[in-house]
Amino acid sequence: MNNNKLLLLGDEAIAQGAIDGGLSGIYAYPGTPSTEIMEYVQGSKQAAELNIHRQWSTNEKTAMEAAIGMSYAGKRAMVCFKHVGLNVAADAFINASITGINGGLIVVSADDPSMHSSQNEQDSRFYGKFSMIPILEPSNQQEAYDMAYFGFELSEKLNVPVLMRITTRMAHSRAGVQRREVKPQNQLRLPSDPRQFVLLPSIARKNYKKLLVSQSAMELESEKSAYNQLIPGTDKSLGIITTGIAYNYLIENFPNHKCPYPVLKVCQYPIPRKQVTELYNDCEKLLIIEEGYPIVEEMIKGFLNIGKTIHGRLDGTLPRDGELNPNIVAKALGLPVTEGEPMPVVVKNRPPSLCPGCGHRDVYEDLNEAMKEYGTGRVFSDIGCYTLGALPPFNAINSCVDMGASITMAKGAADAGLVPAVAVIGDSTFTHSGMTGLLDAVIENSPITVIISDNSTTGMTGGQHSSATGRIVEICKGIGVHPDHIRVVTPLKKNHEENVKIIKEELAYHGVSVIIPQRECIQTFARRKKAEKKKSNE
Amino acid sequence: MKNDIIVAGVGGQGILSIAAAIGLAAVNSNLYIKQSEVHGMSQRGGDVQSHFRISDKPIASDLIPAGKADMIISVEPMEGLRYLPFLAPTGWLVTNVTPFNNIPDYPNIDDILSEIKAVKNHIAIDADAIAKEAGSTKASNIVMLGAASLFLDIPFERIEEGIRQLFGKKGNDVIQLNLKALRLGREFSKKNR
Ligand SMILES: Cc1ncc(C[n+]2csc(CCOP(=O)(O)OP(=O)(O)O)c2C)c(N)n1
Ligand code: SF4
């Protein structure tokens, strides 16, 4: 490997590619496996010197909208989040393909097949197709860099945002990356049509027609793209289409990475019609290997499935769910599969758990005690480290659906007569999308008790700055929670009895109460102390 | 040349420092690398692993195929066994013997040790004790790396160089301590292979 290459995670390669490609601002909300893109830009000296905007946003929707604003002003912007973040940003995202862009705009959505750290394994490529924009899906770290670097120009050329879709293994795997020359940022420049971004129906209809017309240009870009390659093979009994990193799992199975079958390696969408047709005509049947949902497979198979045989995830040649690996692909090809010794039975599962000394632990001990008189099944929770309260020894919560849902689900259950209903939510999740639900509850004075377990950080994703820090009490007051029912406590063993008493009081109150246990995440605390020590040593 | 390595441990044990040191050594040797890491949920005290691939030719998959790993380096005895399905018949299991017990049903350590001994090529090392001898239990991961270094196709000097780079900012004392830990680990493997 060339020595002047950088050893980068896929996430970091995207960040460096964007910086070198003329980025002016990155907007993001943390979420595995996307978090390291923003973190890399925040740690980059080059980004600081170039004065690139690089602060976390409060949620994915605010991130997406701020990026559209930067694009409106003529500059290049990037938005990053995990796949479910795109659900939150979807309204802005879909409409951005109707407004079109001014400065280049790249949206990075990181999918998590096999759900290593997620509640589902949805495939972001559906969103790209839905909003009718090009999708870039790198198969290696160099492509990740290049796609971010050239993606702004593609976006500007086609006048739409470009979606970059990665999956966990791409995001969190390191390899050597060769950088390119740094491009200057765009100048501040208003859109030439002052009404381009005004989606009144009459304008939106015109813009939408333009988007429809540009579909053929997008297809042409895909057919010309160096990321889409038709690789010849001698054995035409089978033709293979791979998307993104699936290509690597395929060629891993052949000596010198030479596949005997013709392969179409797709890394840019819409899928290139010309090459797909050529492969289809040339081969007896097709195998589609995709990391994610069988999207390309469904498209090629069609509803009636009356053409040649198409193998893939839909007919069981590959598993319908979960991420791929070289062995799964070997099985699909009928190749011999290697296996080591089985895992000895003595090996036990080791699920993740709350850190020893974590404040959420005390919150659940207090809450479980206070709930004894009401019984189980009343605690709605949310997404964060505190979700681990669902596991033993706490078994304290009954739901985790999507960010912010604890408060609104508790309200809905209370509306149905489950009184008292409790919500447990983290500080970052509260400002992400708990605040609006709290307003709903305040308006009806719903009998719910909301516990905002405030550890002054976004813990689960590694301790990023939380927009909530230092603001929760004022926010709750501003939303209209009665100050008598906003109770700040410190979750420590020595306060157990006092805290149980306070929770019991609020459970008995027939209206909205908010309890805020406040104690810094011990991991964030340790990191902060270390950084402070380092600073004082300098 | 090809070394496919699984580095295993428990979230919070810092297995990525082992991977980082090998990574630097491999880069300095002009080799290709792919290293898949675990970030996110399981870092909270769950089982974590890193797939580390080094080769003098381009590498395709980020993940090592089952039954093909040349080595498992585990900083925790039960965790190394978890990845036996990945180990090639000729591969080495290099594992620490000090348990990290954060689950209610952690097995009897003797049962774990006898499973380790049943693996044809294994090194079972008390990395914590050796790290203490080197000057700090914090260096136990580097002891593990030293023990594993004997089975890597990278010159030992390159790994030492990697350690110097990795701890460069922390001053000479820390570098020397870790170099000592590295060498003690390697010595142990030489004597016990
Ligand atoms: C829409 C969406 N965005 C991001 C995430 C990733 N995510 C999961 S938990 C979490 C942070 C929660 O922070 P906080 O509420 O403060 O709780 P803590 O982990 O600190 O206890 C994030 C960002 C997600 N699951 N869904
Ligand atoms: S990272 Fe922080 S919030 Fe999460 S479990 Fe550990 S101490 Fe608790």
Side-chain angles (χ1 to χ4, degrees):
Chain A
M1 198 172 84
N2 193 322
N3 248 343
N4 56 32
K5 281 188 178 178
L6 294 177
L7 192 56
L8 298 179
L9 292 176
D11 275 352
E12 297 171 342
I14 291 171
Q16 186 64 54
I19 296 172
D20 293 346
L23 177 75
S24 293
I26 176 167
Y27 297 87
Y29 182 74
T32 313
S34 71
T35 311
E36 294 79 5
I37 306 173
M38 172 64 103
E39 288 186 332
Y40 183 89
V41 179
Q42 289 180 337
S44 157
K45 259 195 200 146
Q46 186 192 358
E49 281 161 12
L50 292 168
N51 200 20
I52 292 173
H53 175 278
R54 52 191 188 286
Q55 291 240 4
W56 292 108
S57 302
T58 302
N59 69 31
E60 292 87 354
K61 180 173 182 282
T62 64
M64 182 75 221
E65 290 157 348
I68 297 173
M70 181 164 274
S71 166
Y72 172 93
K75 301 211 176 180
R76 294 179 167 181
M78 178 173 263
V79 196
C80 310
F81 31 65
K82 69 183 291 168
H83 58 348
V84 287
L86 185 46
N87 300 339
V88 177
D91 197 9
F93 172 75
I94 303 285
N95 287 315
S97 74
I98 313 288
T99 59
I101 54 94
N102 188 23
L105 176 56
I106 301 177
V107 181
V108 186
S109 183
D111 294 354
D112 189 17
S114 281
M115 305 179 226
H116 298 281
S117 299
S118 306
Q119 66 269 50
N120 73 30
E121 58 172 33
Q122 67 184 62
D123 191 320
S124 296
R125 293 177 300 166
F126 270 109
Y127 274 105
K129 198 167 171 320
F130 189 19
S131 60
M132 292 184 277
I133 60 172
I135 309 168
L136 301 171
E137 186 184 10
S139 71
N140 58 49
Q141 290 73 2
Q142 185 65 52
E143 277 182 0
Y145 174 92
D146 290 342
M147 285 174 172
Y149 182 85
F150 291 115
F152 294 118
E153 272 150 40
L154 183 66
S155 164
E156 284 164 9
K157 182 172 172 188
L158 295 167
N159 187 34
V160 286
V162 168
L163 176 65
M164 210 168 150
R165 186 247 185 180
I166 55 172
T167 52
T168 305
R169 297 298 167 185
M170 182 69 239
H172 288 164
S173 176
R174 269 175 219 285
V177 170
Q178 185 71 52
R179 281 180 63 189
R180 296 172 183 274
E181 206 172 304
V182 180
K183 286 188 213 166
Q185 295 183 32
N186 286 355
Q187 296 296 320
L188 194 69
R189 169 177 49 86
L190 291 179
S192 52
D193 171 4
R195 300 200 304 176
Q196 179 193 336
F197 286 79
V198 187
L199 291 187
L200 274 169
S202 59
I203 302 169
R205 277 192 288 268
K206 273 188 215 135
N207 284 5
Y208 183 51
K209 284 241 178 351
K210 271 193 221 157
L211 178 65
L212 292 175
V213 167
S214 67
Q215 294 302 298
S216 54
M218 292 179 201
E219 210 163 279
L220 198 66
E221 286 294 331
S222 282
E223 289 174 356
K224 289 189 315 195
S225 168
Y227 305 127
N228 293 335
Q229 277 180 312
L230 189 54
I231 303 149
T234 46
D235 185 347
K236 299 193 174 165
S237 62
L238 183 71
I240 300 174
I241 299 179
T242 63
T243 64
I245 61 169
Y247 178 72
N248 307 336
Y249 298 140
L250 173 71
I251 61 169
E252 177 72 29
N253 283 295
F254 298 102
N256 299 319
H257 300 163
K258 287 235 159 23
C259 177
Y261 309 109
V263 179
L264 175 58
K265 172 178 180 271
V266 175
C267 291
Q268 179 171 338
Y269 307 73
I271 49 173
R273 188 173 292 277
K274 198 176 107 210
Q275 286 92 331
V276 171
T277 312
E278 197 178 325
L279 187 78
Y280 184 88
N281 290 338
D282 241 22
C283 301
E284 282 169 38
K285 51 186 183 183
L286 295 187
L287 168 66
I288 322 282
I289 312 176
E290 297 175 79
E291 181 83 311
Y293 286 12
I295 294 179
V296 172
E297 189 181 341
E298 270 182 346
M299 284 174 72
I300 293 176
K301 209 165 185 170
F303 184 71
L304 296 176
N305 190 19
I306 45 180
K308 292 181 179 174
T309 306
I310 313 282
H311 293 300
R313 286 189 185 264
L314 291 171
D315 73 343
T317 304
L318 290 159
R320 180 61 183 79
D321 62 340
E323 66 176 338
L324 300 171
N325 62 43
N327 293 72
I328 288 176
V329 174
K331 268 185 214 155
L333 290 164
L335 295 171
V337 179
T338 54
E339 257 160 43
E341 295 293 320
M343 187 177 83
V345 285
V346 58
V347 177
K348 296 287 183 289
N349 283 342
R350 200 189 294 260
S353 54
L354 291 168
C355 302
C358 171
H360 296 320
R361 286 180 174 268
D362 296 288
V363 170
Y364 284 127
E365 308 226 325
D366 300 344
L367 178 64
N368 278 352
E369 177 73 29
M371 288 302 289
K372 269 188 186 149
E373 62 187 274
Y374 299 101
T376 55
R378 298 168 174 273
V379 182
F380 300 88
S381 192
D382 233 296
I383 308 192
C385 285
Y386 52 93
T387 316
L388 295 168
L391 306 177
F394 304 108
N395 305 309
I397 61 171
N398 307 104
S399 77
C400 158
V401 179
D402 66 282
M403 289 187 81
S406 57
I407 296 177
T408 26
M409 280 179 72
K411 178 187 181 298
D415 291 345
L418 190 73
V419 179
V422 179
V424 179
I425 187 168
D427 52 307
S428 180
T429 306
F430 176 67
T431 44
H432 177 284
S433 46
M435 300 187 294
T436 42
L438 185 60
L439 181 58
D440 280 348
V442 163
I443 285 169
E444 295 188 43
N445 200 26
S446 308
I448 64 170
T449 301
V450 178
I451 298 178
I452 305 175
S453 192
D454 177 12
N455 57 5
S456 310
T457 194
T458 318
M460 176 56 92
T461 43
Q464 295 76 21
H465 176 75
S466 164
S467 308
T469 301
R471 296 194 162 86
I472 297 179
V473 171
E474 291 309 312
I475 290 172
C476 292
K477 279 189 198 159
I479 287 175
V481 181
H482 195 288
D484 290 351
H485 295 284
I486 301 175
R487 316 282 298 263
V488 179
V489 303
T490 306
L492 280 170
K493 283 230 161 23
K494 62 172 188 192
N495 299 338
H496 177 67
E497 267 159 44
E498 168 77 12
N499 293 348
V500 172
K501 189 174 142 264
I502 289 172
I503 297 173
K504 280 186 174 172
E505 282 168 17
E506 295 308 327
L507 287 172
Y509 167 64
H510 202 89
V512 178
S513 29
V514 176
I515 300 168
I516 309 167
Q518 259 172 353
R519 178 151 74 80
E520 189 174 6
C521 156
I522 54 168
Q523 301 289 352
T524 310
F525 175 81
R527 255 196 311 276
R528 191 163 57 80
K529 286 288 158 206
K530 212 168 156 185
E532 277 168 16
K533 198 174 141 200
K534 204 174 140 197
K535 215 166 201 174
S536 70
N537 282 352
E538 271 164 16
Chain B
M1 169 268 154
K2 161 198 97 88
N3 283 164
D4 283 341
I5 307 156
I6 299 222
V7 190
V10 180
Q13 282 192 306
I15 64 163
L16 293 182
S17 65
I18 298 182
I22 308 178
L24 288 167
V27 168
N28 294 338
S29 311
N30 278 331
L31 295 166
Y32 289 93
I33 302 174
K34 277 204 173 177
Q35 183 217 333
S36 163
E37 308 180 351
V38 173
H39 296 215
M41 191 116 180
S42 19
Q43 279 179 302
R44 304 270 155 280
D47 53 281
V48 291
Q49 95 299 99
S50 163
H51 287 229
F52 203 108
R53 315 193 74 186
I54 309 168
S55 175
D56 52 4
K57 297 192 198 72
I59 301 161
S61 166
D62 297 279
L63 296 176
I64 300 168
K68 291 274 180 78
D70 302 296
M71 185 166 28
I72 297 170
I73 306 175
S74 182
V75 300
E76 206 278 347
M78 183 176 82
E79 290 308 322
L81 297 173
R82 193 183 299 283
Y83 303 100
L84 285 187
F86 281 94
L87 194 63
T90 52
W92 281 85
L93 169 64
V94 180
T95 180
N96 191 4
V97 295
T98 312
F100 187 94
N101 187 346
N102 65 343
I103 48 172
D105 55 348
Y106 195 90
N108 187 321
I109 183 68
D110 293 330
D111 295 343
I112 294 177
L113 293 179
S114 68
E115 288 291 350
I116 291 171
K117 285 188 188 120
V119 177
K120 193 175 99 204
N121 297 323
H122 71 267
I123 299 284
I125 178 170
D126 189 344
D128 297 61
I130 294 181
K132 208 174 196 175
E133 192 187 322
S136 162
T137 48
K138 276 193 194 160
S140 71
N141 283 354
I142 303 304
V143 173
M144 292 305 306
L145 174 61
S149 69
L150 202 61
F151 312 106
L152 284 173
D153 295 319
I154 299 179
F156 188 62
E157 307 78 65
R158 290 277 154 73
I159 300 174
E160 290 180 313
E161 217 175 290
I163 296 289
R164 284 193 196 94
Q165 268 171 278
L166 193 63
F167 296 102
K169 283 196 190 129
K170 298 194 171 165
N172 195 39
D173 288 353
V174 177
I175 295 176
Q176 290 312 321
L177 187 154
N178 281 286
L179 284 174
K180 188 170 174 199
L182 186 79
R183 285 169 201 146
L184 289 175
R186 191 175 171 90
E187 283 310 308
F188 183 91
S189 279
K190 272 189 185 157
K191 279 190 209 126
N192 294 281
R193 66 178 294 176

